[in-house]
Amino acid sequence: MSPWTRTVILQDIVLAIVINTSAMLLTGAQITLPAWYPGTCSAFATNVVIQLIVPVPTIGRALSKPLEGRKGRFIWSIFVENFIYVTCISFTMACIQAAGRPVVDVWLQTYAYLVIIGYVTSLVLYGIVSASERRARSEAA
């Protein structure tokens, strides 16, 4: 289970908004509040459920262990975490939106793009959180 903090929840919200909005744009769906909001909520809920049952940060750290001590380790760890979350979120969204079409076809239509978009978003969020933590430490000192 992932640790719950305000920062984690805010990152989950941002990722849900970005993934859902990107998926809608990639598929040409009309972005209206009645269509966008439930999709974003579904993406957020899926992310939270994954965090409750899968130790995603632990998996990211374990798979990046060969890079321990290197400055870029976090890049691989974030990729692994993002890959797990975006895979689960995008597949769930495809199941919801398939409407009789083959789910895997619907999923693969946007999957690679969403992994890339989610990864870039995760890196940006990591940078923002890291800078904020550094600023807080320097102000406390």
Side-chain angles (χ1 to χ4, degrees):
M1 185 166 128
S2 297
W4 291 96
T5 64
R6 182 176 299 147
T7 301
V8 169
I9 292 168
L10 288 172
Q11 288 177 314
D12 291 347
I13 291 168
V14 169
L15 190 60
I17 289 169
V18 168
I19 294 299
N20 182 59
T21 304
S22 298
M24 291 181 79
L25 290 169
L26 287 167
T27 60
Q30 186 177 5
I31 298 181
T32 61
L33 188 61
W36 178 84
Y37 184 75
T40 299
C41 290
S42 298
F44 177 75
T46 301
N47 201 0
V48 169
V49 169
I50 297 307
Q51 289 179 20
L52 289 171
I53 60 176
V54 180
V56 176
T58 303
I59 294 168
R61 283 190 301 277
L63 293 178
S64 67
K65 190 149 179 78
L67 301 174
E68 192 167 11
R70 295 186 182 170
K71 288 183 180 181
R73 178 182 183 184
F74 76 95
I75 294 171
W76 180 247
S77 183
I78 290 172
F79 177 79
V80 170
E81 291 179 37
N82 175 74
F83 184 80
I84 294 167
Y85 288 130
V86 173
T87 298
C88 296
I89 292 168
S90 64
F91 187 75
T92 300
M93 299 306 290
C95 290
I96 293 169
Q97 298 169 356
R101 296 174 291 162
V103 172
V104 173
D105 291 347
V106 172
W107 179 48
L108 293 178
Q109 181 181 359
T110 59
Y111 177 63
Y113 298 109
L114 294 177
V115 169
I116 294 165
I117 292 166
Y119 182 52
V120 170
T121 302
S122 295
L123 287 173
V124 169
L125 290 170
Y126 176 84
I128 291 168
V129 169
S130 295
S132 176
E133 289 172 352
R134 282 191 305 274
R135 187 173 44 253
R137 280 194 303 269
S138 70
E139 289 173 0

